[in-house]
């Protein structure tokens, strides 16, 4: 975003981008959460530019925008001019003419930051490759805040922590609130080293990594899907998926009132038998997708 | 027979990059684009050096180094010294420092947006650099060797 800041403040408009949890503060996050209960509507047009398929993220952004009475324009990926050889730069330049805010998802890491450099409109990162997914993180954090609060809790991550961008973002989000972290993943699926070191260096939090299936009385179990498409050896993928599926016995190692979160979609790593238990918080988590994304539009656009 | 000295003509105007770690001279020559330059260039490989054992030396006549080129020297050969020569005398001698913001080099992450967009920018963090776009951390060497 290159909007003239002094002019925009004079006009009472303050525009921002939401690119990465790395640059948000706890005050920013609290401010966004305070906007969830706001009734204010917004003026303007949102363009959704999804360069890879997504159903939930895109639909919830479109729904959030419409509930705020924003106009919406969706760039259909099959019609994307990138397919016709237009550069990323020129595509964003063009979309900028149509939009007050651009929601971008791309398999290429750093796409949202690059778009924000090019566009005057606010840019919201809807997921950039394996890097960041800040809006999902805000939904996860909001769910935890509503159900448990963020003070003095412990969160256990469980599954493929290497390829899930939700993990990278959420580690920053939880660490900034001083939440203790327990990371349980199969061999080769550990959290990226540079992310872990950056989180350790930036925040004063307790982080433990291990392979043993034991949640150590954690208050939250955050599950991710084992991404089979990332495995060359399909038999290995199947083996890991089975080993990293949730069972009642395993859940009993968490706190008695522990909650299960999962960014969905799930496969059989999270059996439906948990749905009717008081531990299941993933549908509630999904129900916050629209209200939190409405708050995000309010935060970046007004 | 005693040691044979290879004599390289002294330059009157230009730059001498000394103390390049042995073996890195050719890469530096290529990265600085000297080979395509019409200027007079001499590269000494495996010269004796008390300090390093062996070193490479690059002499470029009739040309200065830009800030960008100095960044390349500091990335590839952090111990190198740059001598600015004017009227046959060394008028300035310094070791180029790693800059806080780097706009040369290439992001080693094949899934980084800079792979299709260019516009590389790396921000210094301790002795490493973080890609402004994909947010991954790299050693200075990785940025010039990928
Ligand atoms: Zn990069």
């Amino acid at each position: 975003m290159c909007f003239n800041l002094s002019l925009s403040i004079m006009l009472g408009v303050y525009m921002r981008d939401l690119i990465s949890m790395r640059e948000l503060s706890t005050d920013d996050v609290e401010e966004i959460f305070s906007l969830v209960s706001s009734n204010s509507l917004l003026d303007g047009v949102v363009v959704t530019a999804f360069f890879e398929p997504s159903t939930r993220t895109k639909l919830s952004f479109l729904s959030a925008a419409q509930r705020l009475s924003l106009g919406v324009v969706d760039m259909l990926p099959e019609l994307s001019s990138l397919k016709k050889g237009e550069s990323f730069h020129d595509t964003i330049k063009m979309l900028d003419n149509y939009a007050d805010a651009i929601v971008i998802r791309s398999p290429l890491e750093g796409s949202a930051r690059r778009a924000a450099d090019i566009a005057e409109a606010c840019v919201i990162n809807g997921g950039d490759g394996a890097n960041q997914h800040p809006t999902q993180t805000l939904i996860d954090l909001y769910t935890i805040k509503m159900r448990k609060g963020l003070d003095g809790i412990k969160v256990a991550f469980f599954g493929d922590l290497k390829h899930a961008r939700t993990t990278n973002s959420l580690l920053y989000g939880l660490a900034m609130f001083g939440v203790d972290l327990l990371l349980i993943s199969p061999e080769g699926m550990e959290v990226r080293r540079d992310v872990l070191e950056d989180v350790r260096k930036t925040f004063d939090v307790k982080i433990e990594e291990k392979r043993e299936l034991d949640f150590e009385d954690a208050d939250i179990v955050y599950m991710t899907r084992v991404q089979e498409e990332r495995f060359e050896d399909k038999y290995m993928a199947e083996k890991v998926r089975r080993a990293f599926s949730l069972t009642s016995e395993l859940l009993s190692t968490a706190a008695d009132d522990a909650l299960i979160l999962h960014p969905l979609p799930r496969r059989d790593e999270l059996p439906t038998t948990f749905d009717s238990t008081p531990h299941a918080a993933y549908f509630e988590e999904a129900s916050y997708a629209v209200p939190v994304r409405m708050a995000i539009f309010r935060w970046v656009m007004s | 027979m005693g040691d044979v000295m290879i004599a390289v003509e002294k330059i009157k105007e230009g730059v001498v990059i000394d103390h390049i770690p042995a073996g890195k001279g050719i890469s530096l020559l290529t990265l600085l684009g000297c080979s395509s330059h019409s200027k007079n260039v001499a590269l000494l490989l495996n010269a004796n050096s008390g300090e390093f054992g062996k070193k490479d030396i690059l002499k470029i006549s009739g040309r200065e180094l830009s800030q960008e080129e100095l960044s390349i020297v500091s990335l590839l050969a952090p111990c190198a010294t740059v001598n600015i020569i004017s009227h046959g005398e060394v008028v300035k001698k310094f070791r180029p420092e790693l800059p806080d913001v780097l706009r040369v080099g290439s992001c080693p992450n094949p899934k980084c947006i800079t792979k299709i967009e260019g516009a590389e920018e790396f921000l210094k963090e301790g002795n490493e650099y973080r890609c402004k776009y994909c947010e991954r951390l790299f050693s200075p060497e990785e940025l010039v060797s990928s």
Side-chain angles (χ1 to χ4, degrees), chain A residues 186 189 226 231 235-245:
Chain A
M189 300 285 124
V226 170
F231 285 79
Y235 167 68
M236 263 311 287
E238 184 64 22
K239 218 172 131 182
V240 167
R241 196 160 57 81
R242 278 178 202 279
F244 280 74
S245 294

Side-chain angles (χ1 to χ4, degrees), chain A residues 140-202:
Chain A
D140 298 338
L141 284 177
Y142 187 76
T143 311
I144 297 172
K145 185 189 156 80
M146 294 304 281
R147 292 293 301 269
K148 295 257 177 213
L150 287 158
D151 290 332
I153 60 161
K154 177 166 164 179
V155 175
F157 284 75
F158 179 59
D160 176 357
L161 307 184
K162 183 180 179 183
H163 301 108
R165 57 188 154 210
T166 52
T167 310
N168 288 347
S169 291
L170 189 54
L171 285 178
Y172 285 97
L174 290 168
M176 73 170 77
F177 284 96
V179 171
D180 286 347
L181 303 167
L182 174 62
L183 312 174
I184 307 172
S185 57
E187 194 180 350
M189 300 285 124
E190 297 89 353
V191 169
R192 252 169 55 194
R193 295 298 89 187
D194 59 329
V195 169
L196 198 59
E197 275 164 34
D198 192 35
V199 171
R200 279 206 164 109
K201 200 173 65 192
T202 316

